[in-house]
Amino acid sequence: MERIACLAIGYLLGLFQTAYFYGRLHGIDIRQHGSGNAGTTNALRVLGRKAGLVVFLGDVLKCAAAVGISVLLFGSSHSDTIYLLKLYAAAGAILGHNFPFYLHFKGGKGIAATAGLLVSFHPSFLLVGIVVFLIAFLTTHYVSLGSLLVYAALLTQMIVSGQMGLFGSMSSRTLLEMYVLTGFLTVMAYYRHRENIVRLLKGEERKTYLKKKAD
């Protein structure tokens, strides 16, 4: 029951499509411009750096809020499985972001929302995520590559941390559930980035620069 509640809380908060609403405030449907994705990178490219920052922060906060609410509701009564419930809340937020029912299930790819998971799950996960993304992005300027590597690192770190006992006295069954849920999110992220992966392999993926390149 708690799992379903956390998933539902996450999904409801994930429905706040920051890029879509920001675009509407500026007279456009972000899904009809650029890559057609309702996410941070497309907002950055179509509407500029301010839009990219606002969208990123909004998507991070909605996931972090879902996790925070779940901790407030179940932290004291389910202390032994709170990390699992955090993960369910974050998964719900990512699903709500990716598949908002009121936008015909056409949302984003869930990377900024996943950053909200890293922010609210455990400090070590945030640190690893930042380092992995920055190394990939600053050396290649491919946002998609950095995002995919963050997910690969997340799955790896989840399993390693679980086996090392970072999450406390969890049963092996609960740990396995966490691994499977993280694996599901990873597979979904790679599926949502399937076109980016093809372009990366062909050397045709568009690069992103925080500052305009000099002529």
Side-chain angles (χ1 to χ4, degrees):
M1 186 64 182
E2 295 79 15
R3 294 166 172 80
I4 296 174
C6 291
L7 197 65
I9 290 168
Y11 186 81
L12 289 174
L13 288 175
L15 291 175
F16 185 83
Q17 291 292 313
T18 315
Y20 176 77
F21 291 125
Y22 190 96
R24 283 302 191 189
L25 287 175
H26 291 77
I28 69 168
D29 184 344
I30 193 68
R31 300 170 304 158
Q32 297 176 1
H33 296 266
S35 66
N37 182 57
T40 299
T41 304
N42 199 36
L44 172 66
R45 291 171 177 168
V46 174
L47 295 169
R49 282 178 289 181
K50 179 182 176 182
L53 179 61
V54 170
V55 170
F56 177 76
L57 290 177
D59 290 345
V60 168
L61 288 174
K62 67 187 181 186
C63 184
V67 173
I69 291 172
S70 297
V71 171
L72 287 175
L73 291 175
F74 303 112
S76 58
S77 58
H78 294 77
S79 58
D80 57 331
T81 58
I82 192 59
Y83 281 105
L84 175 64
L85 296 180
K86 283 184 176 185
L87 196 55
Y88 269 102
I94 295 167
L95 287 170
H97 175 80
N98 289 356
F99 308 107
F101 71 90
Y102 65 95
L103 295 178
H104 306 290
F105 302 98
K106 185 180 180 182
K109 295 180 179 177
I111 300 305
T114 300
L117 162 61
L118 299 179
V119 166
S120 55
F121 189 74
H122 191 279
S124 65
F125 280 69
L126 176 60
L127 177 61
V128 170
I130 290 174
V131 170
V132 169
F133 181 82
L134 287 179
I135 290 175
F137 176 69
L138 294 177
T139 56
T140 68
H141 295 285
Y142 291 133
V143 173
S144 57
L145 179 61
S147 302
L148 293 168
L149 291 177
V150 165
Y151 255 107
L154 171 61
L155 179 57
T156 301
Q157 188 176 9
M158 187 68 70
I159 295 173
V160 171
S161 298
Q163 295 305 114
M164 292 179 63
L166 180 67
F167 308 129
S169 56
M170 277 190 177
S171 67
S172 57
R173 182 175 179 178
T174 301
L175 285 173
L176 179 60
E177 190 174 348
M178 290 181 66
Y179 304 157
V180 170
L181 184 53
T182 307
F184 166 75
L185 293 176
T186 303
V187 170
M188 181 172 65
Y190 275 69
Y191 178 77
R192 299 286 285 178
H193 283 80
R194 60 193 182 280
E195 295 178 357
N196 303 86
I197 293 172
V198 171
R199 289 194 295 268
L200 283 168
L201 293 174
K202 292 182 177 180
E204 299 174 353
E205 178 72 328
R206 181 177 175 181
K207 294 187 177 184
T208 299
Y209 296 89
L210 298 180
K211 296 182 179 180
K212 291 183 177 180
K213 295 177 68 178
D215 295 330

